Amino acid sequence: MLINRLAIIGVGLIGGSLARALKRKKACSRVVGYGRDMVNLQKAVDLGVIDEYSLTVASAVKDADVVVLATPLSTTETLLKSMRSYLRDDVIITDVGSAKGSVVDAARKTLDKLFPRFVPGHPIAGKEKSGVVASDADLFEDHRVILTPLPETSVNALDLVNEMWELAGAEVVHVSVEQHDEILAATSHLPHLLAYALVDCLAGMQKCDEIFKFAAGGFADFSRIASSNPQMWHDICFSNRKQLLKVLDLFDEYLNNIRTAITNDNSDELLKIFSRAKETRDRFTQMRNKCNDATE
Amino acid sequence: MLINRLAIIGVGLIGGSLARALKRKKACSRVVGYGRDMVNLQKAVDLGVIDEYSLTVASAVKDADVVVLATPLSTTETLLKSMRSYLRDDVIITDVGSAKGSVVDAARKTLDKLFPRFVPGHPIAGKEKSGVVASDADLFEDHRVILTPLPETSVNALDLVNEMWELAGAEVVHVSVEQHDEILAATSHLPHLLAYALVDCLAGMQKCDEIFKFAAGGFADFSRIASSNPQMWHDICFSNRKQLLKVLDLFDEYLNNIRTAITNDNSDELLKIFSRAKETRDRFTQMRNKCNDATE
């Protein structure tokens, strides 16, 4: 048995899916959940996602050998602080936050000599639906999980978190905290920002619902991520603010190149930009197809 | 028989799909194709999409009772000019361009007393693949086709084009040229611009392919339209320049609201924007589901 007592702090889509995946693989004896919403926690018990729940974070983490933080990023520091004195000395703590710099800062500040037992993590998986009812044992199958260990991180803590995610079906990769936050700002946080901004722009137009009648599949796909959880994305934006604003400035330059080409009637330039983007996007499709082929 | 001799000018995804759909419904006796690429035209004959092809636009439109222009927008004026003197007096001409103002201007300039025989049209259907090999008799099923008739437009020409698209499986709606260009700039042209700009921005980063490894489904959906035909979108941007630049400025304001909220640590404002966008996007999903339910 990999884990004896697993504490899931935040039994939503990600926390719930991890619990399901590990239970299916018989990788943990007992899963205890903690959250603020008792109805959701009872639902999680009814669905068999967790075995029991605690109404205090203290009793949830007490005796747990592994603690997984799966709550919105804004709660990380407070939760770590409130669980600190109840943690076992040999505990392993990990998280699933979409930004890593701010989480590492919070862990360093609150966990002191337990900091080496903390393994920062981020599964690249999700849906625009949230809550334990959307959780799914297959969510991480063939998805990447990024771990961003630090020089201080304990090797055995890292090994266990690695194995835990592999058992959940994921491919684990290790990158630095800085790299993670830079890459995710570009591939995930910025696209969410743009989708939210576009939909909000349309929402502000007269006869918005009339306009939607003429929206096709392209718009549906482009804007799907604007249906994501607002609180979660609010937290991500503030947690990864520095990298996000940096890539937003860069994006602005590229968008401005397009605008300038259109304004100045620069046909060659516009065609060059669109062709380069298409070529890049087609390469991404090929990479994805190759990955999917390899796992089939 | 609705149409005796149908001339498809530009036998690509849209022109080819329309020909296939009408042939399936036995709505035309003979389909003649015109294009610049003889290999593609021969392919279209081999696939049974068209019955024959012409190497001059003159011979393609001669004797045709209906002419469908399905070429990139930048070619519209030249093609209308070169076919003008070969058109029958009772011809009906329509097009499939994604911008309507520029097409109407070109038609007015070139067709003179045949202008009332021209019905501007735009099927809201497509794929990121192009060419006659991607054409599909089902492409327009349960999709909208927008017609933008003018006060001068002949009623019988409009009726026939209406019926033609309904036979192809589409739901036909009529809006003004101005409304069409404003709505499409917001729901289609701007999202394409943003997707091209984002992918081009990533393409300009170091280790772009490394970055793509960490891109998830959200990015894949968001950026899918950046794989669209660059020449076609180049033409659309210039053809609908005025409305596109207008909505781009509006979008900039909304994106800037988000940026300001993040920069100024305005948590309430950011959450308000994201929540409003999510609510709007969820309403769009409900509208789409309702439409799909109604057609099933």
Side-chain angles (χ1 to χ4, degrees):
Chain A
M1 190 69 64
L2 186 69
I3 302 167
N4 187 26
R5 188 175 170 90
L6 173 68
I8 300 278
I9 310 301
V11 191
L13 172 68
I14 301 292
S17 296
L18 178 61
R20 280 184 192 269
L22 294 175
K23 279 180 155 252
R24 186 168 64 179
K25 286 287 170 68
K26 306 200 186 310
C28 50
S29 331
R30 196 146 185 90
V31 181
V32 53
Y34 166 78
R36 286 171 314 174
D37 178 353
M38 213 171 33
V39 175
N40 183 65
L41 288 170
Q42 187 54 53
K43 183 100 205 162
V45 171
D46 296 344
L47 291 168
V49 174
I50 57 176
D51 300 302
E52 57 179 293
Y53 62 83
S54 287
L55 290 174
T56 66
V57 71
S59 58
V61 304
K62 202 173 159 288
D63 304 323
D65 39 351
V66 176
V67 175
V68 177
L69 254 178
T71 55
L73 283 162
S74 59
T75 63
T76 306
E77 190 170 333
T78 311
L79 282 168
L80 286 174
K81 206 180 285 177
S82 62
M83 72 177 64
R84 174 65 187 90
S85 51
Y86 305 94
L87 293 167
R88 276 167 43 175
D89 281 349
D90 63 346
V91 72
I92 293 169
I93 318 168
T94 187
D95 82 309
V96 301
S98 302
K100 299 270 56 87
S102 62
V103 169
V104 168
D105 288 348
R108 202 186 291 275
K109 203 164 18 169
T110 51
L111 293 178
D112 56 275
K113 78 177 201 312
L114 280 186
F115 181 63
R117 310 296 300 164
F118 180 73
V119 181
H122 177 206
I124 311 291
K127 309 184 193 176
E128 69 275 29
K129 287 183 184 139
S130 44
V132 72
V133 288
S135 69
D136 174 1
D138 289 324
L139 188 67
F140 309 110
E141 287 288 340
D142 306 326
H143 281 74
R144 283 196 174 82
V145 169
I146 306 180
L147 301 181
T148 62
L150 295 141
E152 303 94 313
T153 309
S154 135
V155 174
N156 84 345
L158 180 60
D159 284 351
L160 182 134
V161 175
N162 225 90
E163 196 178 341
M164 177 185 83
W165 282 114
E166 282 175 0
L167 280 170
E171 180 198 341
V172 181
V173 287
H174 297 182
V175 304
S176 73
V177 169
E178 295 70 28
Q179 262 186 303
H180 172 279
D181 285 359
E182 197 184 340
I183 291 175
L184 270 287
T187 57
S188 169
H189 308 170
L190 177 60
H192 276 80
L193 221 73
L194 299 176
Y196 276 128
L198 177 74
V199 174
D200 197 37
C201 173
L202 296 186
M205 287 180 164
Q206 281 193 315
K207 301 185 187 165
C208 162
D209 283 5
E210 277 297 302
I211 288 175
F212 279 146
K213 278 194 196 151
F214 300 105
F219 173 77
D221 285 352
F222 179 94
S223 64
R224 182 177 64 81
I225 49 180
S227 273
S228 304
N229 184 317
Q231 180 68 51
M232 180 180 145
W233 282 94
H234 158 279
D235 288 6
I236 291 171
C237 288
F238 284 119
S239 298
N240 200 22
R241 167 161 41 188
K242 203 180 123 197
Q243 294 296 344
L244 181 54
L245 291 176
K246 204 170 116 186
V247 75
L248 182 55
D249 285 343
L250 192 66
F251 170 80
D252 259 353
E253 284 176 35
Y254 280 84
L255 184 59
N256 213 39
N257 290 343
I258 294 180
R259 185 202 302 257
T260 308
I262 296 174
T263 311
N264 295 350
D265 240 333
N266 193 338
S267 170
D268 289 351
E269 179 64 17
L270 192 65
L271 193 57
K272 205 173 82 187
I273 295 171
F274 286 0
S275 302
R276 191 169 54 206
K278 179 192 164 49
E279 199 182 288
T280 306
R281 183 56 180 70
D282 286 349
R283 213 167 61 232
F284 170 68
T285 306
Q286 280 160 18
M287 279 171 57
R288 273 176 80 84
N289 291 345
K290 233 181 262 169
C291 286
N292 292 342
D293 288 350
T295 55
E296 266 165 23
Chain B
M1 191 68 64
L2 185 70
I3 301 166
N4 189 25
R5 186 175 170 90
L6 172 68
I8 301 277
I9 310 301
V11 190
L13 172 69
I14 301 291
S17 297
L18 179 61
R20 281 183 192 268
L22 294 176
K23 278 180 156 251
R24 186 169 63 178
K25 284 289 170 67
K26 304 201 186 310
C28 51
S29 330
R30 195 145 186 91
V31 182
V32 53
Y34 167 77
R36 286 172 313 175
D37 179 353
M38 213 170 33
V39 175
N40 183 65
L41 289 169
Q42 186 54 52
K43 183 100 205 161
V45 171
D46 295 344
L47 292 168
V49 173
I50 57 176
D51 300 302
E52 57 179 292
Y53 63 85
S54 287
L55 291 175
T56 67
V57 71
S59 58
V61 304
K62 203 172 158 289
D63 304 324
D65 40 350
V66 175
V67 175
V68 177
L69 253 177
T71 55
L73 283 161
S74 59
T75 63
T76 307
E77 190 171 333
T78 311
L79 282 168
L80 287 174
K81 206 180 284 178
S82 62
M83 73 177 63
R84 173 64 188 90
S85 51
Y86 305 94
L87 294 166
R88 276 165 45 174
D89 281 348
D90 63 346
V91 72
I92 292 169
I93 319 168
T94 188
D95 82 308
V96 301
S98 302
K100 299 270 55 85
S102 61
V103 169
V104 167
D105 288 348
R108 202 186 290 275
K109 207 170 3 173
T110 50
L111 294 177
D112 56 275
K113 76 177 201 313
L114 280 185
F115 181 64
R117 310 297 300 164
F118 179 73
V119 181
H122 177 205
I124 311 290
K127 308 185 195 175
E128 68 275 29
K129 287 184 183 138
S130 43
V132 72
V133 288
S135 68
D136 173 1
D138 290 324
L139 187 66
F140 309 109
E141 287 288 340
D142 306 326
H143 281 73
R144 283 197 173 83
V145 170
I146 305 180
L147 301 181
T148 63
L150 295 141
E152 303 94 313
T153 309
S154 136
V155 173
N156 84 343
L158 180 60
D159 285 349
L160 182 134
V161 174
N162 226 91
E163 198 180 340
M164 178 185 83
W165 282 114
E166 283 174 359
L167 280 170
E171 182 197 340
V172 181
V173 288
H174 296 182
V175 305
S176 73
V177 170
E178 295 70 28
Q179 264 186 302
H180 172 278
D181 286 358
E182 197 184 339
I183 292 174
L184 270 287
T187 58
S188 170
H189 307 170
L190 176 60
H192 276 80
L193 223 71
L194 298 176
Y196 277 128
L198 177 74
V199 175
D200 197 36
C201 172
L202 296 187
M205 288 180 165
Q206 281 192 314
K207 300 186 188 166
C208 162
D209 283 5
E210 277 297 303
I211 288 175
F212 278 146
K213 277 195 196 152
F214 300 104
F219 173 78
D221 285 352
F222 179 93
S223 64
R224 182 178 63 81
I225 49 180
S227 274
S228 304
N229 184 316
Q231 179 68 52
M232 181 179 144
W233 283 95
H234 158 280
D235 288 7
I236 291 171
C237 288
F238 284 119
S239 297
N240 201 21
R241 166 160 44 187
K242 202 180 123 196
Q243 294 295 344
L244 181 53
L245 291 176
K246 204 170 117 187
V247 77
L248 183 55
D249 284 344
L250 193 65
F251 170 80
D252 259 352
E253 284 176 35
Y254 281 85
L255 184 58
N256 212 39
N257 291 343
I258 294 180
R259 184 203 302 258
T260 307
I262 296 175
T263 311
N264 296 348
D265 239 333
N266 193 338
S267 170
D268 289 352
E269 178 64 17
L270 191 65
L271 193 57
K272 205 172 83 188
I273 295 171
F274 286 0
S275 302
R276 192 168 54 206
K278 179 192 165 49
E279 200 182 287
T280 306
R281 182 56 179 71
D282 286 350
R283 213 167 62 233
F284 170 69
T285 307
Q286 280 160 18
M287 280 171 57
R288 273 176 79 85
N289 291 346
K290 234 182 261 170
C291 286
N292 292 343
D293 288 350
T295 55
E296 266 165 22

